[in-house]
Amino acid sequence: GQNIDQPTEMTATEGAIVQINCTYQTSGFNGLFWYQQHAGEAPTFLSYNVLDGLEEKGRFSSFLSRSKGYSYLLLKELQMKDSASYLCAVREGAAGNKLTFGGGTRVLVKP
Amino acid sequence: NAGVMQNPRHLVRRRGQEARLRCSPMKGHSHVYWYRQLPEEGLKFMVYLQKENIIDESGMPKERFSAEFPKEGPSILRIQQVVRGDSAAYFCASSTIRGDGNTIYFGEGSWLTVV
């Protein structure tokens, strides 16, 4: 089985930076995903890490350390529209794409 | 994610009725995954299907829930004799055999309300 932990809620100011941490325990790790989900909508893919290091994509970056079972999502230059839940998900095993999700981190961006 | 089609988007059922949720995967995708999301919670895996095969149903409740992905037509998640606790958002995702990066696509979800 898997255990994925991330903070429940975070608040930040428009224009600032927020870092959302995710820790996981799993066997057969095969990739970590970050999704954004606005209330009442589907999860939208943000980033994917399978090797250690930082993946940068515009204002969003994601980091992975497999030895520590740790990832973070970094949101820069926060905008009001970034207020959403951010879901960390781990893929396990060599076949298929079954993902195990954390509980999600609700980010509130204030003016 | 526009390619994965789910319907209905919203469904209201009385306790004891049946709910059927449909998912048409993105074109070219032969793998379908169903997830359930209770209010204020993360997504929970339910079942993973390929055409005419259930690959992993470890997240499905033992009773009242079933899923299929026939040779022709959409995948169906069926909930019999619904109870209030079944009220949730049900998301379908699809992929090719091996997904990397953003090749796992989610549908818009089906919101089930049991009254």
Side-chain angles (χ1 to χ4, degrees):
Chain A
Q2 298 190 29
N3 192 33
I4 301 174
D5 292 312
Q6 50 182 131
T8 304
E9 197 168 288
M10 301 181 74
T11 302
T13 305
E14 193 175 13
I17 298 173
V18 69
Q19 177 174 316
I20 306 169
N21 296 323
C22 172
T23 58
Y24 63 89
Q25 295 173 317
T26 184
S27 55
F29 173 85
N30 203 358
L32 186 142
F33 295 75
W34 284 96
Y35 286 86
Q36 181 191 60
Q37 187 180 29
H38 285 98
E41 298 183 10
T44 304
F45 171 81
L46 288 179
S47 69
Y48 167 72
N49 297 71
V50 67
L51 300 176
D52 290 352
L54 188 68
E55 294 283 340
E56 296 186 87
K57 190 182 293 185
R59 295 189 297 113
F60 294 171
S61 303
S62 57
F63 171 84
L64 175 68
S65 169
R66 289 172 296 170
S67 62
K68 295 181 180 178
Y70 168 69
S71 172
Y72 68 71
L73 178 70
L74 197 68
L75 286 63
K76 303 175 190 174
E77 302 170 15
L78 279 172
Q79 303 175 8
M80 299 300 290
K81 68 178 182 179
D82 296 329
S83 292
S85 288
Y86 293 84
L87 311 178
C88 173
V90 173
R91 178 171 61 199
E92 188 178 35
N97 285 300
K98 171 186 173 182
L99 299 178
T100 301
F101 284 83
T105 299
R106 193 184 316 173
V107 171
L108 176 62
V109 180
K110 293 185 173 179
Chain B
N1 61 358
V4 180
M5 304 301 294
Q6 289 189 247
N7 68 84
R9 289 295 312 280
H10 298 276
L11 182 64
V12 178
R13 283 287 178 266
R14 296 184 186 280
R15 281 178 294 170
Q17 290 185 318
E18 178 179 289
R20 285 194 180 215
L21 310 177
R22 289 175 289 278
C23 169
S24 296
M26 182 170 282
K27 187 176 181 181
H29 287 187
S30 57
H31 296 239
V32 165
Y33 309 79
W34 285 94
Y35 292 83
R36 176 164 64 174
Q37 187 174 35
L38 296 171
E40 308 299 323
E41 295 188 10
L43 278 76
K44 303 291 186 190
F45 168 79
M46 299 181 75
V47 62
Y48 162 31
L49 310 105
Q50 294 178 24
K51 287 281 188 181
E52 300 184 281
N53 281 305
I54 297 175
I55 306 302
D56 182 344
E57 56 181 346
S58 58
M60 288 281 270
K62 294 284 187 262
E63 298 177 346
R64 302 188 299 107
F65 284 71
S66 62
E68 63 176 4
F69 190 12
K71 186 177 181 181
E72 301 291 337
S75 175
I76 307 282
L77 179 67
R78 182 185 179 200
I79 311 172
Q80 295 177 291
Q81 299 173 343
V82 296
V83 300
R84 289 230 170 99
D86 297 332
S87 295
Y90 292 84
F91 289 99
C92 170
S94 75
S95 74
T96 55
I97 293 175
R98 188 77 181 102
D100 290 301
N102 63 345
T103 58
I104 306 169
Y105 294 96
F106 280 85
E108 294 293 316
S110 291
W111 269 257
L112 172 65
T113 301
V114 179
V115 297

